[in-house]
Amino acid sequence: MTEANEFVYTRVLDAPRELVFKMWSEVEHLINWWGPVGLDLGIAELDFRPGGIFHYNMRSPQGDEMWGRFIYREIVEPEKIVFITSFSDEEGNIVRASFSPEFPLEVLNVVTFTEHEGTTILTLRGGPINATEEERNFYNGMFESMEQGFGGTFDQLAEYLSKL
């Protein structure tokens, strides 16, 4: 689903809201589900607080490596997490996405957690900030790909939750 330059992804998870929120806030949980299917996640740093950072790498079976980071803006437990996500280098500096020089350097994401009859409705909304028109247009053209990517990531989260 899209809303004027904003990617929106919603997923119902069969787990209580407090538990789903916790999956985002602790290394021992994030390592088990965050990132694209088929990539191994390595976590360099998780400082889960406003102004803090989640700095991580993703490695393919072929050994290719990408780094990323979140800078947390707002955390309202267990309701909402607001963060800016970027591709980064090993030191945590913002870099261009390896797949395109037109992908925005920064994307503002808002993840909300809504309890509904014992399940959690997770909604992720994201859109470029400080971006050129070309970057915004490129981002808008990636919604189908992002739908698949986040679908796989949140499949991993649902599977991990089912084992807890």
Side-chain angles (χ1 to χ4, degrees):
M1 186 163 75
T2 62
E3 296 175 18
N5 297 324
E6 187 176 62
F7 173 76
V8 181
Y9 185 91
T10 301
R11 181 67 172 261
V12 178
L13 296 161
D14 190 17
R17 178 168 77 161
E18 288 75 15
L19 181 61
V20 176
F21 185 91
K22 190 176 187 175
M23 298 299 102
W24 291 76
S25 65
E26 297 178 3
V27 168
E28 58 268 26
H29 296 304
L30 277 165
I31 198 99
N32 287 288
W33 69 270
W34 178 254
V37 172
L39 298 184
D40 288 328
L41 181 70
I43 297 178
E45 181 179 358
L46 176 62
D47 182 8
F48 189 70
R49 63 175 177 81
I53 188 171
F54 171 38
H55 184 218
Y56 59 93
N57 66 13
M58 300 170 287
R59 180 168 291 146
S60 75
Q62 297 76 30
D64 298 321
E65 192 173 69
M66 271 190 309
W67 286 84
R69 72 175 210 186
F70 298 178
I71 300 296
Y72 297 104
R73 280 197 164 176
E74 182 183 1
I75 297 171
V76 181
E77 189 174 343
E79 300 168 16
K80 177 170 65 169
I81 304 170
V82 180
F83 57 94
I84 297 170
T85 186
S86 303
F87 287 92
S88 74
D89 61 18
E90 211 170 317
E91 287 77 44
N93 302 303
I94 295 174
V95 299
R96 287 273 169 205
S98 59
F99 57 85
S100 172
E102 296 170 333
F103 191 81
L105 287 172
E106 298 177 299
V107 175
L108 179 66
N109 291 285
V110 178
V111 180
T112 56
F113 307 86
T114 308
E115 186 110 29
H116 180 71
E117 298 176 0
T119 66
T120 301
I121 302 167
L122 181 151
T123 304
L124 178 140
R125 308 175 85 82
I129 56 173
N130 307 315
T132 66
E133 184 177 351
E134 184 179 48
E135 290 169 335
R136 283 190 301 275
N137 290 338
F138 185 86
Y139 181 85
N140 292 346
M142 292 210 42
F143 286 169
E144 191 175 317
S145 173
M146 289 189 294
E147 182 92 25
Q148 292 175 347
F150 280 111
T153 294
F154 292 129
D155 284 348
Q156 292 175 151
L157 175 58
E159 184 181 332
Y160 178 65
L161 283 164
S162 75
K163 295 175 184 175
L164 296 180

